[in-house]
């Protein structure tokens, strides 16, 4: 069986392009979220912003901005450290 290459591969249709764009737009959030969860041990301890930025592959300022956006209620960056606070109890769902 031959593998597709640039000459034999069909161009992406609108549906496929849309999914690729959507997945690419979520990449920064996924990378930062993964780094925060891993390096803070899911909120058990603070972690240096520089380490989270390195793990996520972004500059520290970009990482801090993403943390503020993603974790606006549960995370904060103070004096170069990232604090992530997981809720001790689960809140009831607003969905029925």
């Amino acid at each position: 069986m031959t593998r597709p290459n640039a000459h034999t591969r069909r161009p992406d249709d609108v549906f496929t392009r849309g999914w690729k764009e959507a997945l690419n737009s979520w990449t920064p959030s996924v990378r930062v979220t993964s780094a925060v969860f891993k390096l803070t041990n899911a909120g058990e301890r603070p972690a240096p912003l520089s380490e989270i930025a390195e793990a996520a592959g972004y500059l520290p300022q970009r990482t801090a901005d993403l943390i503020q956006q993603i974790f606006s209620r549960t995370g904060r960056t103070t004096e170069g450290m990232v604090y992530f606070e997981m809720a001790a109890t689960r809140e009831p769902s607003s969905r029925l």
Side-chain angles (χ1 to χ4, degrees):
M1 181 173 187
T2 60
R3 295 173 58 174
N5 60 39
H7 299 291
T8 61
R9 188 176 50 206
R10 292 185 303 163
D12 291 340
D13 59 19
V14 173
F15 177 82
T16 302
R17 282 193 310 272
W19 269 107
K20 285 181 178 180
E21 289 173 16
L23 292 173
N24 285 335
S25 72
W26 281 97
T27 297
S29 296
V30 170
R31 290 168 68 177
V32 169
T33 299
S34 297
V36 167
F37 273 60
K38 179 180 178 183
L39 295 173
T40 66
N41 199 28
E44 288 187 9
R45 64 179 180 273
L49 175 61
S50 59
E51 289 182 18
I52 292 175
E54 184 177 338
Y58 298 110
L59 294 173
Q61 185 58 53
R62 171 82 169 128
T63 303
D65 292 343
L66 286 165
I67 288 169
Q68 178 60 39
Q69 177 185 344
I70 298 164
F71 300 108
S72 63
R73 292 175 39 185
T74 57
R76 62 186 164 86
T77 303
T78 305
E79 297 179 8
M81 296 296 288
V82 175
Y83 298 86
F84 177 62
E85 298 157 0
M86 296 282 290
T89 59
R90 183 179 171 167
E91 294 180 20
S93 175
S94 61
R95 293 189 209 181
L96 297 177

